[in-house]
Amino acid sequence: MHNRIKKTLFYVVIILLAGSCAKDEGPQYFVDGSIQPYFNRFMEEAAQRNLNIDLDSMMISGDIRVINAQNVIGQCGHTDTEPSVVIVDKFYWDASSDLEREFVIFHELGHCALFKGHNDISDTQGNCVSIMTSGTSSCIINYTAATREALLDELFTL
Ligand SMILES: [Zn+2]
């Protein structure tokens, strides 16, 4: 699991320049039914740490799509029609465990909802101290039931 995430985790922001012929609709948002439980979990974990995050009012979309860029498993993007969208690669999603799915969704929401950048600091064991690792550094991703609490504490410390 760790190598796969490490090799493939990147943060890509897509910015599509606004066209002048946009339809006369306000920004839309949509959360895929299989992503919604992870969005809910993110808000619950934030609330447990006294952080009020409302992904609905932030209009953050969540969708599973085929990401064509190589080695990219997730994105937090901003487009004209989707002010903020978390996209997870369909092939990664289908092959991943619950914890692996949580990892990528929480990482991307770290960008989209918490406005965090990457953190590639490692502890004395060489493990990444943050979910917000770029995935391209030398720190080792070790997101397990045993390390989850501490990593979520770090994530929700702004
Ligand atoms: Zn990232």
Side-chain angles (χ1 to χ4, degrees):
M1 147 184 183
H2 305 145
N3 279 340
R4 185 151 55 97
I5 293 178
K6 186 170 158 45
K7 268 190 245 158
T8 53
L9 188 66
F10 284 89
Y11 167 48
V12 177
V13 173
I14 303 169
I15 298 173
L16 297 181
L17 294 177
S20 55
C21 55
K23 274 182 266 177
D24 192 15
E25 289 170 6
Q28 307 286 310
Y29 85 108
F30 162 83
V31 180
D32 183 277
S34 56
I35 286 183
Q36 188 66 59
Y38 297 90
F39 272 32
N40 294 344
R41 217 186 272 176
F42 185 87
M43 290 187 276
E44 286 159 16
E45 295 292 344
Q48 283 173 25
R49 292 164 177 83
N50 299 314
L51 203 59
N52 180 30
I53 302 286
D54 184 348
L55 298 175
D56 294 311
S57 68
M58 295 176 86
M59 296 183 65
I60 298 177
S61 297
D63 205 5
I64 300 164
R65 300 175 190 169
V66 174
I67 297 177
N68 286 314
Q70 227 177 2
N71 295 333
V72 177
I73 61 169
Q75 300 173 329
C76 157
H78 309 283
T79 73
D80 194 21
T81 51
E82 294 170 311
S84 277
V85 57
V86 167
I87 300 167
V88 183
D89 180 64
K90 183 179 181 349
F91 297 109
Y92 174 83
W93 187 262
D94 289 346
S96 290
S97 68
D98 177 64
L99 215 50
E100 288 169 329
R101 290 176 175 188
E102 178 179 282
F103 180 89
V104 67
I105 295 286
F106 281 22
H107 175 100
E108 299 307 333
L109 285 174
H111 291 309
C112 267
L114 304 176
F115 310 108
K116 286 194 153 190
H118 284 146
N119 175 358
D120 285 324
I121 295 172
S122 51
D123 64 17
T124 52
Q125 322 272 303
N127 294 324
C128 305
V129 299
S130 176
I131 285 178
M132 297 312 295
T133 175
S134 65
T136 57
S137 79
S138 59
C139 76
I140 301 156
I141 296 171
N142 183 28
Y143 193 61
T144 66
T147 62
R148 182 178 182 271
E149 282 300 310
L151 284 164
L152 293 188
D153 286 345
E154 192 283 333
L155 177 66
F156 292 111
T157 299
L158 301 183

